[in-house]
Amino acid sequence: IEQGKVQIKQLEPLDYGFARCTEEDLLISGPEQGCSVLKDLLLGRGPKPMADMLAFNVGLGLYLLNKGQNMSDSMQEAKQAIANGAGKGFAHA
């Protein structure tokens, strides 16, 4: 939304260096596995497709928060933060 106008944009993860994945790559069998995978992701580990999904969403958030930053830079910043375990302070909660 800029100056009261809504602009719809479809984003293609491939354009930002994210690999394709399948629905099965993102499948979780239940709450226990979900918690385990989330903790791994917060520590900078975990399945690559899920880490990419998290980084893509974080990158979009960074882009929206940092209006002067372009989308590619926001995605790169998010990838680096996820890979470096930026969420480790939350992994033990």
Side-chain angles (χ1 to χ4, degrees):
I1 299 177
E2 287 188 29
Q3 299 175 353
K5 294 183 181 180
V6 176
Q7 196 176 43
I8 297 174
K9 182 177 181 179
Q10 184 169 342
L11 299 175
E12 175 57 59
L14 294 173
D15 293 342
Y16 302 100
F18 294 98
R20 284 206 187 277
C21 70
T22 65
E23 288 182 30
E24 290 78 24
D25 292 331
L26 304 174
L27 189 63
I28 297 291
S29 64
E32 291 84 20
Q33 184 190 17
C35 287
S36 176
V37 168
L38 181 56
K39 284 181 182 181
D40 282 346
L41 292 172
L42 292 171
L43 294 169
R45 303 186 303 246
K48 176 109 173 76
M50 290 186 187
D52 283 351
M53 179 180 62
L54 178 59
F56 187 79
N57 282 283
V58 169
L60 181 56
L62 289 172
Y63 173 74
L64 293 172
L65 290 171
N66 300 314
K67 286 293 185 183
Q69 190 171 8
N70 70 43
M71 182 72 77
S72 292
D73 290 343
S74 295
M75 292 296 176
Q76 286 303 102
E77 184 178 345
K79 283 181 187 180
Q80 187 173 12
I82 299 304
N84 291 337
K88 63 184 161 213
F90 298 98
H92 304 290

